[in-house]
Amino acid sequence: MNKIFLLTFVFLSFLKANYEITESENLFVVKVDKANFDEKLLSLKDEINFEGFTIVYELNLAKATNEVAVLLEKKGVLEKGINLGICKSSFTFEMLEENFNNINYCPLGISIYKNSDNSIYVSYKKYKAFKDGDKMANTINEVLKSLILKSLD
């Protein structure tokens, strides 16, 4: 009986995602410990595509800033770091239908990065409404949060 309980406990402990969420007024960040960066990036891209979004750009900012650091004879800040710009035409239409100024939200952005502490961070800057009564900014924030969290499951 003890063996069954122990095996069940060990199995269930592996099912739990090992991440920590930090949320402020301006930023949503998930810190993932003991994970492979490339696997998490692929999982994030898969979730983005599965939900019907298109990745319109992928910026390797860690590579670019590390090259600058070398030229300045300084140490780079990030080991790896990618910014993804994403778009979905039907979602953009909803945004514009509410307020044509919402075009400024496009493309939506998600960042995934790793520094020297070997943790991986997946984040987005929170979107704010352009005028009172607009609800789309909150919807965008929830969609981005969902994309991130589903990619970690």
Side-chain angles (χ1 to χ4, degrees):
M1 182 66 170
N2 287 339
K3 287 181 182 179
I4 293 173
F5 177 76
L6 181 62
L7 286 173
T8 303
F9 176 77
V10 169
F11 176 75
L12 291 176
S13 68
F14 283 109
L15 291 178
K16 181 183 177 294
N18 191 18
Y19 59 81
E20 172 187 331
I21 297 172
T22 304
E23 196 165 358
S24 71
E25 181 182 340
N26 298 312
L27 193 64
F28 177 86
V29 181
V30 179
K31 178 182 177 185
V32 184
D33 292 320
K34 299 177 184 170
N36 179 287
F37 181 86
D38 293 324
E39 288 176 7
K40 292 300 171 194
L41 175 60
L42 181 61
S43 180
L44 179 61
K45 287 178 175 181
D46 284 348
E47 186 60 35
I48 288 167
N49 290 321
F50 180 77
E51 293 296 332
F53 285 86
T54 300
I55 298 172
V56 294
Y57 67 77
E58 180 176 330
L59 299 175
N60 189 335
L61 294 176
K63 180 181 177 191
T65 57
N66 287 337
E67 288 172 357
V68 170
V70 168
L71 293 173
L72 297 174
E73 298 178 358
K74 294 185 174 186
K75 186 176 186 268
V77 177
L78 294 175
E79 185 179 315
K80 295 186 177 193
I82 304 286
N83 278 7
L84 299 173
I86 65 173
C87 190
K88 182 178 181 180
S89 297
S90 59
F91 193 63
T92 301
F93 179 74
E94 287 179 52
M95 291 171 16
L96 298 177
E97 205 170 33
E98 177 184 76
N99 179 348
F100 61 84
N101 289 314
N102 287 349
I103 195 169
N104 289 286
Y105 294 141
C106 296
L108 306 177
I110 296 178
S111 300
I112 179 168
Y113 43 100
K114 178 180 179 180
N115 64 8
S116 59
D117 75 356
N118 283 329
S119 294
I120 297 167
Y121 300 85
V122 189
S123 67
Y124 68 90
K125 61 183 175 191
K126 289 192 175 176
Y127 291 81
K128 311 282 187 204
F130 288 125
K131 69 177 187 177
D132 289 338
D134 282 358
K135 295 179 170 78
M136 203 64 205
N138 289 334
T139 302
I140 292 168
N141 292 330
E142 290 304 313
V143 166
L144 294 174
K145 181 188 296 187
S146 176
L147 286 171
I148 291 170
L149 294 177
K150 284 181 179 178
S151 78
L152 297 174
D153 288 341

